[in-house]
């Protein structure tokens, strides 16, 4: 199953100047626990934003980029057809982890989207599609309000009622 995982601000913003909008330790822990041992798909800029530009440990890291170049410890693909081929040989769940372009390309194929909604305006310059305004997605779960590092947030789960097959 393909899922996406993302943290958004109140305007569905996900980043600014190539960086995350907020530091929310509880959300980072949720991300780590959810994706550990799984396959993650990201764009080149997302990989480069990680410490040292290195892939996430204990996960299969796939980078979808125009050049399809494999980058230290990552599988490189340049198209959805190549990604489909690689995923056929991959076991277990797949998580799309960004950035905006990769989310936009793969959202239709995601059966679920795990969204951490942060109650703040991060003055984003890149955005995730607003799932509340997308007829294919339904909110199916929501945590109570939490607070971490001065930010109020909640974990939500959306289901794609018509996921496309990759």
């Amino acid at each position: 199953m393909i899922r996406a995982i993302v943290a958004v601000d109140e305007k569905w913003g996900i980043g600014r100047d190539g960086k995350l909008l907020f530091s929310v330790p509880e959300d980072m822990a949720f991300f780590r626990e959810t994706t550990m041992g799984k396959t993650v798909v990201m764009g080149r800029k997302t990989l480069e934003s990680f410490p040292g530009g290195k892939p996430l440990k204990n996960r299969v890291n796939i980078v979808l980029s125009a050049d399809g170049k494999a980058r230290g410890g990552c599988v490189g693909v340049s198209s959805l057809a190549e990604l489909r081929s690689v995923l056929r040989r991959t076991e277990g769940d797949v998580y799309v982890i960004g950035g905006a372009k990769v989310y936009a390309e793969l959202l239709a194929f995601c059966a679920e989207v795990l969204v951490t909604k942060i109650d703040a305006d991060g003055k984003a310059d890149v955005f995730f599609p607003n799932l509340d305004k997308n007829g294919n997605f339904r909110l199916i779960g929501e945590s109570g309000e939490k607070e971490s590092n001065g930010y109020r947030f909640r974990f939500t789960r959306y289901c794609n009622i018509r996921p496309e097959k990759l």
Side-chain angles (χ1 to χ4, degrees), residues 1-3 38-41 60-62 75 77 79-96 106 109 166:
M1 176 185 299
I2 299 175
R3 295 180 172 98
K38 311 290 192 236
T39 297
V40 292
V41 179
V60 174
N61 290 256
I62 301 174
V75 176
V77 296
S79 67
L80 292 182
E82 275 187 77
L83 178 61
R84 182 182 313 111
S85 177
V86 169
L87 292 180
R88 280 193 190 126
R89 300 186 306 266
T90 305
E91 293 192 22
D93 291 335
V94 175
Y95 285 88
V96 179
L106 297 177
F109 305 105
L166 181 63

Side-chain angles (χ1 to χ4, degrees), residues 4 12 18 33 40 42-43 45 55 63 71 76 88 90 92 107 109 120 133 136 140-141 149 155 157 163:
W12 290 82
E33 291 165 14
V40 292
M42 70 196 90
K45 291 179 185 174
V63 177
R71 291 163 169 85
R88 280 193 190 126
T90 305
L107 185 62
F109 305 105
K133 294 183 178 179
N136 285 345
I140 59 170
N149 209 23
F155 295 115
R157 191 168 140 227

Side-chain angles (χ1 to χ4, degrees), residues 8-79:
V8 302
D9 75 358
E10 58 196 17
K11 296 178 181 175
W12 290 82
I14 59 173
R16 184 179 66 233
D17 300 327
K19 295 183 174 64
L20 294 176
L21 297 175
F22 310 102
S23 175
V24 180
E26 194 171 337
D27 176 56
M28 292 308 254
F30 174 73
F31 174 88
R32 207 172 23 259
E33 291 165 14
T34 302
T35 63
M36 191 65 66
K38 311 290 192 236
T39 297
V40 292
V41 179
M42 70 196 90
R44 175 189 52 82
K45 291 179 185 174
T46 297
L47 174 65
E48 290 172 355
S49 74
F50 296 157
K54 296 191 186 301
L56 298 174
K57 293 179 183 174
N58 303 314
R59 299 161 185 93
V60 174
N61 290 256
I62 301 174
V63 177
L64 175 61
S65 66
D67 66 11
K69 189 167 119 183
R71 291 163 169 85
C74 298
V75 176
V77 296
S78 65
S79 67

Side-chain angles (χ1 to χ4, degrees), residues 96-166:
V96 179
I97 64 169
K101 186 176 176 186
V102 173
Y103 282 134
E105 270 190 271
L106 297 177
L107 185 62
F109 305 105
C110 294
E112 289 184 344
V113 183
L114 306 178
V115 182
T116 301
K117 291 184 174 180
I118 300 169
D119 188 22
D121 181 354
K123 308 288 189 231
D125 59 18
V126 290
F127 295 84
F128 191 87
N130 182 337
L131 298 182
D132 294 322
K133 294 183 178 179
N134 183 323
N136 285 345
F137 286 88
R138 300 283 184 270
L139 178 65
I140 59 170
E142 186 169 22
S143 73
E145 188 172 86
K146 300 173 177 289
E147 191 166 327
S148 179
N149 209 23
Y151 296 106
R152 289 192 326 259
F153 66 96
R154 62 194 182 286
F155 295 115
T156 64
R157 191 168 140 227
Y158 287 80
C159 177
N160 185 346
I161 60 172
R162 288 186 284 279
E164 295 178 24
K165 188 166 173 61
L166 181 63

